[in-house]
Structure formats: structure tokens, C-alpha cells
């Protein structure tokens, strides 16, 4: 992926429903860097999958992260917005689960999106769809904001190369 993308799992984050000291098998959890500077660093294993892979269990039930977080970038979201000449601010998607997870292709409807022109939000977008290949998009130019959403997990991002189609 792009070298500025680092994805961490933080299972002991206080005040989250997913917080856990140990998994269901009693294996201690710990913070892990899953992707560091764009490179896959580790896999997640529960007790069963670790045995099959001849690896140590990581304390992750069903091999899923507890509290995945993307490490933020260096510019504010407002600064990133001002850089966009013509774009789409996507706040919510509908039907993202219908993607092809194996090869990374996706297409989904934009539930809540805003049109950006010359660095300013000019209105809401309706009847729009985005599509692309997540691996291609995240290995291209990705710029991350220094601020994150309310839960502190994910920064805003400029992702170049996303296909957008819209109806009337």
C-alpha cells in the first residue's frame, strides 16, 4: 500500500465495546501493527488458526481486529479539503459488503456525499456510486489528515483514482 498507511489493532483501548485483555481462549491481547508504512507486518490468529498455520496465537477471536486504527497524517482535514479542485466527500456508503473481497473490486452507492469544487463543499450529492479496486487505490496516492473522527480511529483521506458515477 502507500507508504504513509499504517494500520494498527488496539484491543485494550479504554471505553470501547471491543476492549479486551484476553480473547475467548484466554490468550492475552496486545497492540499490533498490521500494516506498517504500507507493508503487511503480521496476521491475526485465534487459537485454532494459529495451530493450522504453525504460528503463535495473537489473541484475536475469529482472526479479527478489536479496534483497528489508521495512524493519522500531518495536515488538517480543512487543509486537505482546500486542495481538492473537483471531488466528492464521502461520509457514508450503502452496500459496501457486496464487494469482491478476494480481488479488491468494489462498487457501492453513496449514502451521504458532498460535491467539492475549488476546495469548497458546494452541495449534497444524490444518486451517486463509487467503484474501483481497493488495492489499487490504497497503493496509489493517499493523503491522510492529522485529525480523526469522533472515535479516534480513522483520519479523513484524499484518495486519487476513485471512479464516480451519478444520476440526475
Amino acid at each position: 500500500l502507500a507508504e504513509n498507511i499504517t494500520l494498527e489493532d488496539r484491543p485494550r483501548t479504554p471505553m470501547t465495546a471491543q476492549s479486551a485483555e484476553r480473547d475467548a481462549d484466554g490468550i492475552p491481547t496486545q497492540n499490533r501493527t498490521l500494516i506498517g508504512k504500507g507493508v503487511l507486518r503480521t496476521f491475526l490468529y485465534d487459537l485454532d488458526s494459529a495451530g493450522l498455520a504453525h504460528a503463535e496465537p495473537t489473541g484475536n477471536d475469529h482472526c479479527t481486529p478489536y479496534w483497528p486504527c489508521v495512524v493519522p497524517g500531518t495536515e488538517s482535514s480543512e487543509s486537505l479539503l482546500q486542495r481538492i479542485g473537483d471531488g466528492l466527500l464521502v461520509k457514508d456508503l450503502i452496500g459496501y459488503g457486496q464487494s469482491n473481497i478476494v480481488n479488491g473490486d468494489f462498487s457501492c452507492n453513496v449514502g451521504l456525499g458532498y460535491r467539492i469544487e475549488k476546495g469548497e463543499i458546494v452541495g449534497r450529492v444524490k444518486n451517486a456510486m463509487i467503484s474501483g479496486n481497493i488495492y489499487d487505490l490504497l497503493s496509489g496516492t493517499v493523503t491522510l489528515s492529522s485529525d480523526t473522527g469522533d472515535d479516534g480511529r480513522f483520519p479523513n483521506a484524499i484518495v486519487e483514482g476513485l471512479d464516480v458515477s451519478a444520476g440526475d
Side-chain angles (χ1 to χ4, degrees), residues 26-119:
I27 308 296
T29 62
Q30 61 181 300
N31 289 350
R32 296 188 184 280
T33 299
L34 307 178
I35 297 170
K37 296 185 179 182
V39 177
L40 179 65
R41 301 289 182 199
T42 191
F43 291 99
L44 300 177
Y45 296 104
D46 59 14
L47 194 58
D48 293 334
S49 64
L52 293 170
H54 304 289
E56 290 295 318
T58 60
N60 292 81
D61 291 326
H62 309 290
C63 306
T64 58
Y66 289 94
W67 195 250
C69 303
V70 174
V71 175
T74 58
E75 290 184 63
S76 70
S77 292
E78 297 220 1
S79 175
L80 294 185
L81 180 65
Q82 292 172 358
R83 286 182 175 199
I84 301 171
D86 184 22
L88 175 66
L89 173 61
V90 177
K91 298 294 273 180
D92 187 43
L93 297 172
I94 301 171
Y96 192 75
Q98 305 306 311
S99 305
N100 186 333
I101 295 171
V102 174
N103 72 3
D105 290 333
F106 69 92
S107 63
C108 50
N109 294 313
V110 175
L112 180 58
Y114 299 94
R115 178 73 188 267
I116 302 169
E117 291 179 354
K118 298 178 184 172

Side-chain angles (χ1 to χ4, degrees), residues 1-17:
L1 304 179
E3 67 178 36
N4 63 326
I5 296 177
T6 295
L7 175 66
E8 299 174 342
D9 183 25
R10 301 175 186 164
R12 296 182 180 189
T13 301
M15 307 300 289
T16 64

Side-chain angles (χ1 to χ4, degrees), residues 7 67-70 72 145 147-156:
L7 175 66
W67 195 250
C69 303
V70 174
S145 70
D147 48 314
T148 61
D150 292 337
D151 63 5
R153 295 170 60 186
F154 304 108
N156 290 311

